[in-house]
């Protein structure tokens, strides 16, 4: 028989049957036109009850793809069915590896019958493969790079101190049959191997617990009650570096989805004020929901572009701390699903596919934007401590941005290393514009450390200096400031007032109350802000990185 193989042929995507829809998803993944999660659990064309089943099938088929291909290719009679490569892999997976076998509900019975009549020969080939490779389990057949624990990050849980205590969380874990182990950083990987109910207290961050890679905590009572927040260790570093004391005023400039925001609220014991900015309403809504669940009471969410916020606005007159986590390349994020797709595509293309090259133009655009965000933050008159972080491993977005900012002004320097997680061994790169001492005050993490790739810097104000850009930088910015004032007219402002702080309706000129000279002066952008804004006029603002669990 000849099957559709997932090509819709003009049909609506939702009209395809289960395995044919799965084949269509594989085809889309091969073309790199979507992610596994977006095409399964985030796919509006799939029935809600079908989404987790489709997600599991796609992930497991990709994991076993090379094994399945070898088994199917050794059975010419399966090829005679003319199912097509994708349906062969999907159907063979469920026939050989799924506990429930081939799916019947919503599946094409002709496809099931076509592969079922070869069940004996396929199982015989699977047994032969295990014997030839001298392995006992099917999992041992999976390519080593897809099961190698060194490519996994640990599962981290941050204790939400607004809702509980570390001792109470440990007591609950004990009741849930988890065993706490005391291990050094060097022995963490061996002590917390996969599929063990053990955990350790992180050696660097006092409110973070470390679990074996892949530990499932979403169904736990601790997670459901927001007593723990599932957040990667690296993502927890910025708030610890910033350390705003209770009662302080803080700005989180690029705040969504909100894990770092809620972490600061926890450190501040819900005392003070956190202004959380994000210009994407949908992402800000996620922040509101997440921080509400975490019992944060001091967060004022604002749907606005941080670069458009006036540093002289009296609303922020008492802000002394800034957390900056602007858009970045996301090159440090470890994504097991991406690894599955990359491995599958390499198999399909005979291992000849090259990974996408780094887009240097985009990196440069991101670096300019990141530097602009930092320099803008430094204009707030009372700000004395700024944390800057990215989930990138690229020097261009990390040390190079720090060096550029340091060379552009003289009011802020880097906090000394003993204030920036001193127990953490991996520090910054000594690159152009940075001394060895300055590099040592920067923090880097890499996947081999058991975390996502991350970078953190902390700027502190020199009380004896006033903020002012260097003559050379000012000349550069004055050059870019000659862009016409209406070049950025296409950027729309939020229109509707919700719970995010922007005005519901813009007043007309007649309705606008008369402004005093002082008010007009206060609302005028500083020369630096005009220059920075002009530098980005006519350019598309770098995309905000997508929401990742634990950022």
């Amino acid at each position: 028989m000849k099957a559709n193989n997932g090509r819709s042929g003009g049909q609506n995507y939702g009209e395809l049957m289960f395995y044919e829809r799965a084949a269509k998803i594989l085809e889309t993944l091969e073309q790199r036109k979507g992610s596994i999660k977006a095409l399964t659990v985030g796919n509006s064309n799939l029935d809600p009850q079908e989404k987790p089943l489709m997600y599991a099938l796609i992930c497991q088929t990709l994991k076993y793809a090379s094994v399945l291909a070898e088994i199917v290719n050794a059975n010419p009679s399966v090829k005679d069915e003319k199912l097509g490569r994708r349906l062969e892999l999907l159907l063979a997976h469920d026939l050989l590896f799924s506990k429930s076998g081939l799916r019947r509900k919503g599946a094409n019975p002709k496809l099931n019958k076509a592969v079922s009549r070869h069940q004996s020969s396929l199982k015989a080939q699977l047994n032969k493969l295990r014997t030839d490779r001298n392995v006992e389990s099917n999992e041992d057949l999976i390519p080593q790079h897809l099961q190698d624990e060194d490519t996994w990050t640990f599962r981290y849980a941050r204790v939400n101190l607004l809702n509980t205590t570390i001792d109470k969380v440990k007591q609950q874990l004990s009741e849930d049959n988890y065993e706490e182990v005391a291990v050094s950083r060097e022995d963490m990987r061996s002590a917390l191997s996969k599929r063990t109910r053990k955990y350790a207290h992180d050696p660097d961050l006092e409110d973070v617990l470390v679990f074996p890679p892949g530990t499932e905590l979403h169904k736990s009572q601790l997670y459901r009650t927001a007593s723990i927040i599932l957040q990667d260790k690296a993502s927890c570093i910025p708030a610890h570096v910033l350390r705003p004391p209770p009662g302080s005023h803080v700005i989180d400039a690029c705040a969504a989805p909100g894990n770092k925001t809620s972490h600061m609220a926890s450190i501040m014991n819900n005392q003070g004020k956190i202004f959380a900015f994000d210009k994407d309403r949908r992402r800000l809504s996620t922040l509101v929901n997440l921080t509400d669940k975490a019992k944060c009471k001091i967060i004022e969410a604002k749907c606005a572009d941080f670069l458009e916020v006036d540093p002289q606005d009296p609303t922020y007159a008492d802000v002394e701390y800034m957390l900056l986590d602007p858009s970045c390349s996301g090159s440090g994020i470890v994504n097991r699903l991406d690894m599955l797709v990359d491995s599958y595509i390499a198999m399909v293309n005979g291992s000849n596919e090259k990974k996408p090259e780094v887009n240097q133009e985009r990196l440069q655009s991101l670096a300019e934007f990141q530097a602009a965000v930092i320099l803008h933050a430094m204009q707030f008159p009372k700000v004395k401590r700024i944390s800057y972080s990215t989930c990138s491993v690229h020097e261009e977005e990390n040390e190079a941005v720090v060096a550029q900012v340091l060379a552009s002004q003289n009011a802020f320097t880097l906090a000394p290393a003993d204030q920036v997680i001193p127990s953490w061994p991996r520090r910054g790169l000594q690159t152009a514009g940075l001394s060895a001492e300055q590099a040592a005050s920067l923090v880097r993490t890499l996947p081999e450390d058991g975390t996502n790739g991350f970078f953190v810097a902390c700027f502190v104000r020199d009380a004896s200096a006033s903020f002012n850009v260097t003559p050379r930088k000012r000349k550069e910015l004055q050059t870019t400031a000659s862009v016409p004032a209406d070049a950025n007219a296409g950027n729309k402002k939020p229109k509707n007032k919700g719970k995010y702080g922007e005005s519901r309706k813009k007043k007309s000129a007649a309705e606008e109350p008369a402004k005093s000279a002082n008010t007009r002066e206060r609302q005028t952008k500083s020369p630096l802000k005009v220059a920075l804004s002009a530098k980005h006029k006519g350019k598309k603002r770098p995309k905000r990185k997508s929401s990742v669990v634990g950022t």
Side-chain angles (χ1 to χ4, degrees):
M1 69 174 283
K2 187 174 182 179
N4 184 295
N5 195 27
R7 290 180 173 82
S8 60
Q11 299 178 48
N12 181 279
Y13 181 76
E15 294 176 358
L16 297 173
M17 302 192 80
F18 182 76
Y19 287 112
E20 293 164 308
R21 286 197 289 273
K24 184 65 177 176
I25 290 172
L26 284 185
E27 180 183 14
T28 306
L29 289 171
E30 290 173 26
Q31 298 168 349
R32 296 192 182 277
K33 291 184 177 179
S35 67
I36 294 176
K37 284 190 175 180
L39 295 170
T40 55
V41 294
N43 192 334
S44 60
N45 287 319
L46 297 180
D47 183 272
Q49 294 182 342
E50 186 179 276
K51 290 180 179 182
L53 300 173
M54 186 66 77
Y55 174 78
L57 173 60
I58 294 297
C59 288
Q60 292 301 310
T61 299
L62 293 178
K63 187 183 295 183
Y64 282 96
S66 61
V67 179
L68 292 166
E70 188 170 346
I71 292 172
V72 170
N73 291 337
N75 286 267
S77 57
V78 177
K79 293 292 184 182
D80 292 340
E81 299 289 349
K82 300 189 184 302
L83 298 171
R85 169 175 43 79
R86 302 182 191 100
L87 281 172
E88 289 171 355
L89 297 178
L90 293 161
L91 293 163
H93 172 271
D94 276 5
L95 186 70
L96 297 175
F97 297 129
S98 174
K99 293 181 180 179
S100 56
L102 288 166
R103 177 178 169 84
R104 294 183 180 181
K105 183 179 179 180
N108 186 335
K110 293 182 179 180
L111 295 181
N112 287 7
K113 185 177 180 180
V115 74
S116 293
R117 51 175 163 252
H118 305 286
Q119 182 172 358
S120 296
S121 60
L122 289 171
K123 285 190 173 182
Q125 184 60 33
L126 173 60
N127 291 333
K128 181 179 183 300
L129 200 57
R130 282 202 300 261
T131 301
D132 291 345
R133 297 188 184 179
N134 194 26
V135 299
E136 295 183 0
S137 70
N138 291 333
E139 284 191 350
D140 291 331
L141 294 171
I142 298 171
Q144 187 62 39
H145 71 281
L146 294 181
Q147 56 175 305
D148 191 346
E149 291 187 11
D150 289 338
T151 65
W152 285 74
T153 62
F154 292 113
R155 165 66 81 185
Y156 295 93
R158 173 172 60 81
V159 178
N160 180 13
L161 299 176
L162 298 177
N163 202 23
T164 186
T165 66
I166 294 173
D167 288 341
K168 287 181 180 179
V169 168
K170 288 185 175 183
Q171 177 60 36
Q172 182 62 54
L173 287 171
S174 177
E175 294 174 8
D176 293 341
N177 298 317
Y178 281 93
E179 175 191 356
E180 182 179 5
V181 294
V183 293
S184 65
R185 191 193 314 280
E186 293 72 25
D187 296 332
M188 192 83 74
R189 183 75 71 177
S190 58
L192 299 180
S193 58
K194 284 190 292 184
R195 296 181 289 276
T196 59
R197 294 182 74 82
K198 296 181 179 181
Y199 75 96
H201 203 142
D202 188 82
D204 307 295
L205 309 179
E206 64 268 21
D207 56 356
V208 173
L209 304 178
V210 192
F211 294 81
T215 298
E216 176 52 61
L217 294 170
H218 289 88
K219 296 179 181 179
S220 71
Q221 181 70 9
L222 289 170
Y223 175 76
R224 291 201 303 268
T225 59
S227 294
I228 59 172
I229 308 294
L230 301 184
Q231 183 175 357
D232 188 74
K233 173 179 178 172
S235 176
C236 295
I237 293 177
H240 274 289
V241 166
L242 192 63
R243 278 286 175 190
S248 56
H249 282 207
V250 184
I251 282 180
D252 189 346
C254 311
N259 278 333
K260 297 182 188 69
T261 321
S262 70
H263 193 185
M264 287 194 294
S266 179
I267 289 174
M268 295 165 65
N269 196 28
N270 255 348
Q271 299 174 40
K273 172 76 77 173
I274 300 175
F275 300 100
F277 289 94
D278 204 286
K279 64 178 183 178
D280 187 308
R281 178 181 296 277
R282 185 168 55 181
R283 285 172 55 81
L284 199 67
S285 177
T286 299
L287 177 145
V288 170
N289 294 333
L290 186 151
T291 55
D292 282 352
K293 181 182 177 182
K295 298 187 178 179
C296 302
K297 305 296 184 184
I298 60 172
I299 296 170
E300 185 174 328
K302 290 180 172 288
C303 189
D305 185 340
F306 174 66
L307 284 178
E308 297 300 319
V309 177
D310 181 9
Q312 303 303 320
D313 188 325
T315 305
Y316 314 111
D318 294 324
V319 170
E320 294 182 306
Y321 299 86
M322 290 264 197
L323 192 147
L324 311 178
D325 187 55
S327 301
C328 73
S329 64
S331 56
I333 299 297
V334 177
N335 191 325
R336 291 285 292 177
L337 300 184
D338 286 346
M339 291 176 64
L340 292 177
V341 174
D342 289 343
S343 178
Y344 170 68
I345 292 177
M347 183 202 76
V348 169
N349 295 333
S351 299
N352 291 324
E353 193 205 43
K354 295 181 180 179
K355 287 189 176 182
E357 294 183 0
V358 176
N359 187 329
Q360 291 296 332
E361 184 178 350
R362 171 151 176 81
L363 281 186
Q364 181 59 35
S365 175
L366 285 166
E368 291 177 0
F369 171 69
Q370 291 151 357
V373 170
I374 299 171
L375 289 169
H376 183 60
M378 289 176 173
Q379 293 181 84
F380 286 72
K382 283 194 177 180
V383 167
K384 60 184 181 183
R385 195 172 181 91
I386 299 171
S387 74
Y388 167 68
S389 59
T390 73
C391 53
S392 170
V393 297
H394 296 308
E395 183 182 325
E396 292 91 336
E397 299 177 88
N398 299 331
E399 288 88 355
V401 168
V402 169
Q404 179 186 351
V405 169
L406 291 175
S408 299
Q409 50 75 47
N410 55 9
F412 285 81
T413 60
L414 289 174
D418 61 7
Q419 295 182 18
V420 189
I421 318 295
S423 59
W424 182 253
R426 192 181 298 280
R427 314 308 287 190
L429 305 176
Q430 187 179 352
T431 187
L434 294 180
S435 67
E437 182 181 5
Q438 288 172 322
S441 69
L442 306 174
V443 169
R444 268 184 173 267
T445 67
L446 292 176
E448 61 198 68
D449 300 321
T451 73
N452 285 311
F454 221 78
F455 174 84
V456 183
C458 183
F459 298 94
V460 291
R461 185 185 290 273
D462 180 351
S464 64
S466 58
F467 180 78
N468 192 16
V469 292
T470 60
R472 179 178 177 181
K473 190 66 178 179
R474 182 175 297 281
K475 186 175 181 180
E476 290 178 19
L477 295 174
Q478 286 173 343
T479 301
T480 59
S482 60
V483 179
D486 61 349
N488 214 20
N491 289 347
K492 296 181 180 179
K493 302 282 185 182
K495 292 180 180 178
N496 299 320
K497 169 118 177 151
K499 44 192 172 182
Y500 307 132
E502 72 278 13
S503 48
R504 182 181 297 275
K505 181 181 177 183
K506 188 174 181 181
K507 294 181 180 180
S508 67
E511 296 172 316
E512 189 72 36
K515 294 186 176 68
S516 68
N518 289 339
T519 303
R520 286 195 301 272
E521 181 180 353
R522 188 171 61 241
Q523 292 184 341
T524 302
K525 293 181 181 178
S526 69
L528 175 61
K529 183 172 180 183
V530 171
L532 290 173
S533 298
K535 190 169 186 178
H536 289 278
K537 288 181 188 294
K539 291 185 181 180
K540 190 175 181 180
R541 181 69 53 77
K543 249 185 178 180
R544 174 70 181 164
K545 60 193 173 200
S546 62
S547 177
V548 180
V549 173
T551 57

